[in-house]
Amino acid sequence: MHIYIVLLQMGTFVDSIPVPNSAALNGMAVIPRNPGVVLGADLIEGRMFSINILTGETKEVLKRCRACTCRRESGRPSIGTNGLRVIDDFVYFTSPNRVTFFPISHR
């Protein structure tokens, strides 16, 4: 999967950053004290990635959170992490299949 950087004022494509080992990024959040770094939530795999949009560096910061994924035999599609918010020193995200809201420290 890739994320795309677009300059909205000009409607211009700027860059594409590959995010290895991601299935479906759904939800991104900026870390206020870390300019140029966004977090991306992998909807399918229950992972979270740190993506530096200035350098293109990506790293997995939450590895396949067991509490975030749902067993596939439930008959429903498996949905991992979904939606991110950064408030102060915490990242908040949801796991829709588990109907759970998680806070974790990003420091």
Side-chain angles (χ1 to χ4, degrees):
M1 170 144 243
H2 284 73
I3 63 166
Y4 296 90
I5 302 170
V6 177
L7 184 58
L8 294 177
Q9 295 85 349
M10 305 287 287
T12 306
F13 168 79
V14 176
D15 202 359
S16 166
I17 300 172
V19 183
N21 302 318
S22 61
L25 293 179
N26 182 36
M28 298 186 92
V30 174
I31 300 176
R33 295 182 191 132
N34 229 342
V37 176
V38 296
L39 294 175
D42 189 323
L43 178 68
I44 308 276
E45 299 292 334
R47 295 181 173 124
M48 195 178 302
F49 295 90
S50 170
I51 305 153
N52 187 317
I53 62 171
L54 303 175
T55 66
E57 178 188 7
T58 63
K59 60 183 168 183
E60 194 173 341
V61 294
L62 181 66
K63 297 183 183 289
R64 200 159 174 134
C65 173
R66 281 186 172 215
C68 305
T69 57
C70 186
R71 283 189 253 149
R72 293 185 190 270
E73 60 265 13
S74 66
R76 296 179 292 178
S78 178
I79 299 176
T81 57
N82 186 28
L84 297 171
R85 296 289 180 269
V86 176
I87 302 171
D88 297 325
D89 291 336
F90 289 90
V91 177
Y92 296 87
F93 62 97
T94 60
S95 177
N97 276 355
R98 297 221 185 242
V99 193
T100 308
F101 185 71
F102 296 94
I104 58 172
S105 174
H106 69 78
R107 289 200 165 262

